[in-house]
Amino acid sequence: MSDAQDRAFDELAPQYLLDVPRGIASTSVHADARMDPVAEYGRDARLFVEIGSGQGHAIISAAVSRPDDDFLAIEVFRAGLARTMLDADKVGVRNLRLVEANAPEILASYLPEGSASEVWIFFPDPWHKKRHTKRRLVRAGFGDAAARALEDGGLLRLATDWEDYALQMREVLDAEPEFERAFEGEWAERFDGRVMTAFERKGIAKGRDIRELLYRRKTRA
Ligand SMILES: C[S@@+](CC[C@H](N)C(=O)[O-])C[C@H]1O[C@@H](n2cnc3c(N)ncnc32)[C@H](O)[C@@H]1O
């Protein structure tokens, strides 16, 4: 990482980065650890969670435009976390926290059950080689973790420029008993709260279509 990125971790982490008890790996979360959103944000507000937030462009823009909501960025890429903290600090965002962790673990145990109003996953790594597709985040089992974290009626928003992954996302989530489609037709409309990131721009430049999906968490029995 650059000096600026090191500085972000030294100076801005106390304000932005959650101090998570770890499991075995450095990006794992101890199974007994639970986030206390009211303590972390200093208030009780709706919580929006982005998985694989990259450089933080989408979530910072959302946090700035919606000061009454709280935002959590989950990312394993340290340089991306540093960039997000530097940019968040530049614009003085207060309703954003970051966590350096493997996202499924945050959904499956660290977030309190039903605490998230929405979970976003925009342009996740496509792992396009056949032998690597099992590494994709949205695969069988992902729906359980997302459904646990979401409140009743909460939304799961997804976007990708990789057709085969879009089809996989839709197949996996259509099969999830806790979710129902919240879009008509083949794909969801573009989410107007999502700003264009470098990954989307690159996909478009390569002539790929952007596909979005929107699922609603069903009410718990
Ligand atoms: C292709 S990038 C997209 C970043 C961002 N969403 C955007 O649209 O610009 C995917 C991101 O997901 C992150 N990522 C991959 N696996 C992850 C995991 N298990 N937990 C958290 N983040 C992950 C990567 O580090 C990378 O920054």
Side-chain angles (χ1 to χ4, degrees), residues 177-212:
E178 316 290 2
F179 283 98
E180 61 192 8
R181 285 192 183 190
F183 61 94
E184 307 280 331
E186 272 206 284
W187 304 102
E189 303 271 298
R190 187 191 166 91
F191 168 40
D192 61 8
R194 183 169 70 72
V195 296
M196 172 99 45
T197 67
F199 283 97
E200 179 167 9
R201 213 168 286 122
K202 206 159 75 183
I204 292 170
K206 292 197 167 160
R208 297 188 201 123
D209 290 335
I210 308 301
R211 293 183 172 84
E212 304 218 10

Side-chain angles (χ1 to χ4, degrees), residues 75-212:
E75 180 51 72
V76 286
F77 174 47
R78 282 178 74 80
L81 289 163
R83 171 51 48 209
T84 305
M85 289 191 276
L86 291 165
D87 287 353
D89 182 56
K90 217 179 283 169
V91 289
V93 178
R94 294 278 167 272
N95 53 341
L96 172 67
R97 299 290 179 276
L98 283 60
V99 60
E100 181 181 12
N102 178 33
E105 294 178 55
I106 297 290
L107 300 178
S109 66
Y110 186 59
L111 281 170
E113 178 159 3
S115 57
S117 291
E118 294 192 10
V119 171
W120 300 346
I121 177 160
F122 301 148
F123 304 94
D125 296 316
W127 295 111
H128 55 272
K129 287 189 183 147
K130 192 97 190 129
R131 65 180 187 280
H132 289 156
T133 53
K134 56 182 176 296
R135 299 184 189 173
R136 288 175 174 170
L137 278 175
V138 185
R139 58 171 190 258
F142 175 82
D144 279 349
R148 182 197 158 276
L150 280 165
E151 65 187 17
D152 289 355
L155 297 175
L156 177 60
R157 297 184 185 278
L158 309 99
T160 181
D161 62 340
W162 201 261
E163 183 181 14
D164 175 64
Y165 198 3
L167 291 166
Q168 174 173 325
M169 289 172 171
R170 198 172 59 182
E171 193 181 314
V172 164
L173 294 166
D174 280 350
E176 272 299 332
E178 316 290 2
F179 283 98
E180 61 192 8
R181 285 192 183 190
F183 61 94
E184 307 280 331
E186 272 206 284
W187 304 102
E189 303 271 298
R190 187 191 166 91
F191 168 40
D192 61 8
R194 183 169 70 72
V195 296
M196 172 99 45
T197 67
F199 283 97
E200 179 167 9
R201 213 168 286 122
K202 206 159 75 183
I204 292 170
K206 292 197 167 160
R208 297 188 201 123
D209 290 335
I210 308 301
R211 293 183 172 84
E212 304 218 10

Side-chain angles (χ1 to χ4, degrees), residues 6-41:
D6 278 336
R7 196 160 39 77
F9 269 87
D10 291 343
E11 294 174 13
L12 301 175
Q15 185 186 338
Y16 287 109
L17 198 64
L18 301 186
D19 190 11
V20 182
R22 299 296 177 184
I24 295 164
S26 63
T27 56
S28 70
V29 180
H30 195 284
D32 297 336
R34 293 287 173 281
M35 181 183 180
D36 177 352
V38 172
E40 296 293 354
Y41 294 91

